[in-house]
Amino acid sequence: MPGRRKKPPGRLAAHARTPVLLALLAASALVSLRVGAHPLAWADILQLWFPRFAADAVTDRGTVVSLLWEIRLPRLLAALGVGAGLSMAGAAYQGLFRNSLVSPDILGSSAGAALGAALGLTLSLPVVGVQTLGFLFGLAAVILTCGLGRAVGGGGHFTLRLVLTGMVVGSLFMAGVSVIKILADPYSKLPAITFWLMGSLAATTRADLALLFPPLALGVTVLLLLRWPLNLMALGEDEARSLGVPVTAVRVLVLVGATLITSATVAVAGIIGWIGLMVPHAARFWVGPNHRDLLPSSLLIGGICLLWADNLARCLFAVEFPLGVVTCACGAPVFLVMLRRSQKTWAE
């Protein structure tokens, strides 16, 4: 009909998006509880709450309780948190920098966290110590990036200087990781450092969740509160400022929130690439560039994607693959397909 606005291809009605994503999330979580080195039947899981299913169960209740509560549930929650956090941080970074190729580690937080964790592993610190050191080094890398970006001066766009200094700081911290790998014991420390750098949730415990979720919740809350200013800043900083947006304060808060999320996730799961770059594109293709819808959708889609990536890492082969390897192997071709199908979406 003339004058009727056509819905962009691939878009779902706004009122149906969140229920669909929540249903996919719940289904993915249930499947994740079943699969693994010791597969569980539905009756095995249901016997925990419904004794009448115990007769059909293959595995005894004690083993199921231990397997679910001590291993699979913490791992599932960590996968959801890490995927959701990295994806939302990536969407916020891309909106702030107005660049669809920006990822959460653009300010050197991943490299900083990698150096901290490698140092902790070399010093034989406990897991909590390794993760705390990774978190602190990740924050330190971003603070150094922001300080250098301001100190360099020389005019020009501050955001561009931040990206460039972030690349420099990231390279310096990765050089530190290389030095530690050279000096580390090749039989005990080096394999642990290498495996951690490739990303994994294999050793996730309930204590890790306590380290992951408080900063994650704080960062996510900050970003969700800033979804409207981010929309206005997409018009350009001068235009946003003319509309009453405190550009500097919004920029700092977005950087702090996204960096807090990135450092916390890297400290717990290691370096996991592509999720923070790919998922915001998938969410933008589905719900459009409005941050009111984009940030929550990125959060949900990121959790689902990393959950399935972790399932593949556990189940593809007899030996578990590092999660970062799976996300890179799956993310690259999917990203190319999305780029081809949604090349007009970013400009809308």
Side-chain angles (χ1 to χ4, degrees):
M1 294 176 60
R4 184 176 179 180
R5 188 177 180 183
K6 294 178 63 178
K7 186 174 69 172
R11 300 276 174 87
L12 196 66
H15 66 275
R17 292 167 188 156
T18 301
V20 168
L21 288 177
L22 289 175
L24 285 173
L25 187 66
S28 303
L30 287 175
V31 172
S32 298
L33 290 177
R34 288 193 59 194
V35 300
H38 186 112
L40 294 175
W42 289 117
D44 294 335
I45 298 175
L46 290 174
Q47 68 169 321
L48 291 177
W49 300 280
F50 305 102
R52 62 190 178 91
F53 287 95
D56 299 326
V58 180
T59 308
D60 67 89
R61 192 172 187 276
T63 303
V64 173
V65 169
S66 177
L67 197 59
L68 290 185
W69 293 111
E70 300 299 330
I71 299 175
R72 292 192 182 170
L73 195 58
R75 184 169 183 162
L76 183 154
L77 294 174
L80 291 176
V82 170
L86 287 175
S87 303
M88 177 175 270
Y93 273 130
Q94 291 174 9
L96 180 67
F97 293 114
R98 302 175 65 199
N99 189 325
S100 56
L101 296 179
V102 171
S103 61
D105 56 357
I106 191 68
L107 298 184
S109 56
S110 294
L115 179 59
L119 192 60
L121 291 169
T122 305
L123 296 175
S124 300
L125 296 179
V127 175
V128 174
V130 172
Q131 293 170 344
T132 304
L133 211 56
F135 181 72
L136 294 177
F137 269 66
L139 283 181
V142 176
I143 292 172
L144 182 61
T145 297
C146 294
L148 287 176
R150 193 168 292 280
V152 168
H157 204 283
F158 178 67
T159 303
L160 177 61
R161 292 207 306 275
L162 268 185
V163 173
L164 294 176
T165 52
M167 293 172 63
V168 173
V169 170
S171 298
L172 285 174
F173 276 80
M174 288 310 293
V177 172
S178 299
V179 171
I180 289 179
K181 289 172 71 175
I182 291 172
L183 299 177
D185 184 338
Y187 299 104
S188 58
K189 309 295 184 188
L190 185 58
I193 294 173
T194 304
F195 193 77
W196 188 90
L197 290 176
M198 289 189 288
S200 176
L201 293 170
T204 302
T205 64
R206 284 185 287 185
D208 298 327
L209 302 181
L211 182 69
L212 171 65
F213 277 100
L216 193 67
L218 181 61
V220 166
T221 302
V222 169
L223 296 183
L224 286 176
L225 291 175
L226 294 172
R227 56 193 186 279
W228 286 110
L230 274 174
N231 278 341
L232 296 178
M233 289 185 70
L235 301 172
E237 293 189 357
D238 292 337
E239 288 80 358
R241 194 173 284 112
S242 68
L243 292 170
V245 176
V247 171
T248 303
V250 171
R251 183 195 296 145
V252 169
L253 287 174
V254 170
L255 289 177
V256 169
T259 300
L260 202 61
I261 292 171
T262 306
S263 298
T265 57
V266 173
V268 169
I271 296 178
I272 298 175
W274 284 98
I275 288 291
L277 176 65
M278 179 188 69
V279 171
H281 283 274
R284 194 174 296 112
F285 172 69
W286 207 33
V287 304
N290 189 332
H291 288 85
R292 183 195 62 180
D293 302 320
L294 179 62
L295 292 182
S297 297
S298 295
L299 185 139
L300 292 174
I301 295 173
I304 295 169
C305 286
L306 199 63
L307 201 54
W308 279 103
D310 190 47
N311 290 341
L312 290 176
R314 285 189 288 162
C315 303
L316 272 182
F317 300 99
V319 178
E320 179 172 330
F321 259 51
L323 183 54
V325 174
V326 175
T327 57
C328 289
C330 298
V334 172
F335 185 70
L336 289 175
V337 172
M338 284 194 304
L339 270 184
R340 179 171 176 78
R341 297 189 60 183
S342 62
Q343 50 188 312
K344 294 181 181 179
T345 304
W346 179 254
E348 287 179 352

